[in-house]
Structure formats: C-alpha cells, structure tokens
Amino acid sequence: MNIHDIPGTIAVRSEDAFDTEAVRAYLVREKLIPSDQSANFEVVQFPTGASNLTYLLQCGSWMAVLRRPPHGPLPPRAHDMKRESAFLARLHPHFPKAPQPYAFCEDTTIMGVPFFLMEYRKGICIDTAFPSHVPFTPEKARAVGEQAVHALVELHNVDIAETGLHTFGHPDGFLRRQVEGWMERFRRSSTGESVPGADALMTWLARNIPDTHNHTVIHNDFKLNNLLFESNSLAEVVGIVDWEMATIGDPLFDLGVMLSYWVEASDPEPLRSLLPSATALPGFLRRDEVVHIYARTSGRSVDHVNFYYVLGTFKLAVIVQQIYVRYKMGKTTDSRFAHFGDAVRTLIEHAVYTAGV
C-alpha cells in the first residue's frame, strides 16, 4: 500500500510542512523504523479537521499516524499530545477501537512542538457522503448509524478501574466545570463581533445543569467522521480517532456532542450548510432515534438529553470561535476558517432555539 493512494490524504500543505529529515532521524533513533530502509520515508497529510494537525507516515511496510498541535497560541491545557498518547496507552488494551500509541516526543527541536505517533487504522471515514465504492441504500445508512451508537455504548461500558484511567479526570462536578469552562472560553476567545443570544444561552445553561453522578470513559468529541468503518461493507466500526479531549466524565455529555453534529434533512439550511453530513441522507437515524437506541442499549436514563444537546452545540460554537480567532490573528491562512464568525452565530442561534430561551 502506498500512502499517496490512500483516500482522504493530500500532499502536505506548505503552512503545515515540517522538517521530515529531523522526524526520520527521530524514528530511526527510537528504533521505530530501520535505518537501512529510512531513505524510503514519505509523509502525506490528512486535511480534514480543524484542530490538531494529523499526518500519515510510511517507510516500507511500516505506517503510522503523527499528531501535533495546531499553529498559533493555544488555549490552556488544550492540544496536550502527552496526555492524549498516555490516555490511549491505557485505553487501547481494553477498547481495541482506540488506536495503539507508539511513541510520544516532547523534544521541540524536532518539530517545534511536542507530537506523538500511533498506529494507522485502515478504515473508511464517512463524512459528507457515502463512500463511492459502497452502494448506498437507506438500510445501509441506518445500519451505519446503529453501529455508531453501539460503539459509543461500548466505550461507555469500559471498566475505568481496569484501565487505570481514573487519574485522567475529575468526575465530581464534571458538568458544572464543563458549563463554566466553555462559557469562559467563549468570552476569552471573543473577536468583538456580536453573537445574538449568547448571553441568554449561557444563563440558561448555568441554571439547568442536571444533578448527575454517573461517569465513564468519554471520547468528548464523538461524531460520525471520527469513526472508521470496515472498508468493504461498512458493517463494523473498526476504529475511533481524535482522542485529544477524552477524559472521565458524564457519558451523556458524549451523547450530546454526538447529537450536535448529527444533522438531519429537516434542520434549517444554515445549519446543514455549516455541518454538511451524511447523516442527512435518507435512512440515517434521526436524533431522537439515536437517543432511543442509546437509552435501550446502555440502560441509562436520558431524561435530560436536551440539556446535553444544547451544551454540545454550545461547545461546538466555542471551538469554532477559537479557530476563528487564530484565523483573524493570521496564525493560519486556511480559507475554510474565513467564515467561521458566521458559523458561530448559526450554532448559537440553533442552541438558543433548542433550549427554548
């Protein structure tokens, strides 16, 4: 397999390029690749995503994924490569859908930032459309949605004690910290542009935090295009990626985040344009069906699911605003981010509507 033939990869963008010779030397030094084959070292980039930068590396038959933080100033405690790598190291043996990490490097002389390497998991990412090689049917679309929900339930069933991941989170007061933390990030990343309804929404969130004491391993960014499906039939989730925000917390927070990305055909056009997703295709589960299947298979109460959906949408708005700030400051020239100010307003408007503020 040649990495240049793998769907979903591109040549490394000039602004995201790094010293490949320094990385190659590091891989040889760490005995991740043999020195006598290192001349065949190649790199491509995964262009999707708007947070950490992700690359695919190849040397002969050896392949790995490299993850590094984005350019520019970063929010406190965000994009922590060491934490993400360590989290995966403990989770992978108990949840094989999480990729195995290979190495973490904090020597900033190599890339200018810390980074880590993990296994490449072959699979199909379903983003805005079905893969062309799989005949589309509404039945297949529904099965994909059901597999996504089952994968989330499987993650939430992982025994925290067995993994040793209890040190990676502070479940007591988790929801209140999430609400207060994302409100603070929203205020801190303000560009000065008006966002109607934001203040009323934040007041509603602070007043409606459910009293819950349930906690599990959570992905914290669980969505369809972070799942990898079996390549030929899409019959199984074979991998889950992007674990940078994973922690121990309220499992319904994961469900709320999933719902915030799960766009339906009946949603307002601005939301569908902002979050183009295969989930709007005929046959895909509706959000209420996602909730029903999760409740049935997990056995958990979903009485306050609307709060979690609103919070997930607000969280997404804050993340978009943080990226927009980096664009406005000139820290990235990626043209995708030019209209993220409008995107923030669209998400806040939808969250306000859903909350009934």
Side-chain angles (χ1 to χ4, degrees):
M1 179 186 297
N2 187 296
I3 60 173
H4 297 283
D5 298 327
I6 293 177
T9 63
I10 62 170
V12 177
R13 291 186 289 243
S14 58
E15 68 178 40
D16 298 331
F18 57 86
D19 186 343
T20 55
E21 173 56 29
V23 171
R24 184 202 64 80
Y26 166 80
L27 296 175
V28 171
R29 186 166 67 249
E30 295 298 315
K31 296 182 170 48
L32 291 170
I33 61 174
S35 59
D36 60 349
Q37 296 181 23
S38 64
N40 299 319
F41 182 60
E42 295 186 278
V43 181
V44 293
Q45 184 173 12
F46 292 104
T48 56
S51 185
N52 289 334
L53 301 176
T54 308
Y55 308 82
L56 182 60
L57 283 51
Q58 183 175 40
C59 182
S61 61
W62 181 88
M63 300 177 73
V65 172
L66 185 150
R67 298 256 294 163
R68 57 145 290 172
H71 307 291
L74 304 177
R77 297 185 299 279
H79 311 287
D80 187 337
M81 299 292 98
K82 183 176 184 179
R83 184 186 183 281
E84 183 176 353
S85 177
F87 195 98
L88 287 171
R90 295 194 185 185
L91 179 61
H92 170 77
H94 304 273
F95 185 69
K97 288 181 173 62
Q100 177 184 0
Y102 292 153
F104 165 72
C105 179
E106 55 189 345
D107 181 356
T108 57
T109 65
I110 297 175
M111 287 192 73
V113 291
F115 64 92
F116 80 97
L117 296 137
M118 63 183 182
E119 70 170 306
Y120 167 66
R121 190 68 63 87
K122 183 180 178 181
I124 296 295
C125 171
I126 301 174
D127 192 3
T128 60
F130 245 53
S132 58
H133 72 280
V134 179
F136 174 83
T137 65
E139 294 75 21
K140 178 68 71 174
R142 183 175 183 86
V144 164
E146 290 175 346
Q147 285 298 318
V149 181
H150 293 158
L152 183 61
V153 173
E154 183 183 345
L155 172 64
H156 293 167
N157 285 339
V158 169
D159 189 313
I160 298 173
E162 288 186 3
T163 64
L165 285 169
H166 58 281
T167 60
F168 279 77
H170 303 282
D172 291 341
F174 171 84
L175 263 189
R176 181 162 297 281
R177 288 198 310 276
Q178 289 297 313
V179 170
E180 294 174 352
W182 287 107
M183 290 195 303
E184 174 60 26
R185 293 181 190 99
F186 181 81
R187 297 184 181 105
R188 196 166 54 230
S189 60
S190 172
T191 62
E193 300 175 17
S194 174
V195 184
D199 289 339
L201 177 64
M202 289 188 284
T203 298
W204 183 90
L205 285 167
R207 289 177 176 172
N208 287 277
I209 300 172
D211 183 17
T212 177
H213 304 284
N214 192 8
H215 60 272
T216 67
V217 176
I218 65 172
H219 181 277
N220 222 345
D221 197 24
F222 195 92
K223 53 183 178 175
L224 185 65
N225 63 2
N226 272 340
L227 309 182
L228 299 175
F229 289 83
E230 189 276 325
S231 298
N232 295 319
S233 66
L234 311 181
E236 179 186 3
V237 175
V238 296
I240 302 175
V241 298
D242 287 357
W243 293 87
E244 66 174 285
M245 294 187 286
T247 188
I248 306 301
D250 188 330
L252 293 190
F253 187 66
D254 252 356
L255 180 61
V257 168
M258 181 182 184
L259 295 173
S260 72
Y261 287 99
W262 202 273
V263 175
E264 300 178 359
S266 61
D267 283 332
E269 192 280 332
L271 188 69
R272 287 185 283 111
S273 296
L274 172 62
L275 300 171
S277 173
T279 57
L281 293 172
F284 261 99
L285 302 173
R286 300 185 309 271
R287 283 189 292 268
D288 63 331
E289 292 178 303
V290 169
V291 173
H292 175 74
I293 293 172
Y294 179 88
R296 188 186 71 227
T297 55
S298 70
R300 294 188 177 90
S301 169
V302 292
D303 289 347
H304 301 286
V305 70
N306 194 59
F307 170 87
Y308 293 94
Y309 176 35
V310 172
L311 179 55
T313 305
F314 178 68
K315 173 189 173 185
L316 177 56
V318 177
I319 292 171
V320 170
Q321 181 162 277
Q322 289 174 328
I323 296 166
Y324 185 53
V325 165
R326 293 206 302 270
Y327 178 83
K328 293 276 284 187
M329 295 175 65
K331 299 301 182 181
T332 176
T333 60
D334 192 325
S335 61
R336 293 178 300 160
F337 306 150
H339 302 291
F340 270 27
D342 293 333
V344 171
R345 287 185 284 275
T346 295
L347 289 165
I348 293 295
E349 180 182 0
H350 185 67
V352 166
Y353 172 81
T354 305
V357 177

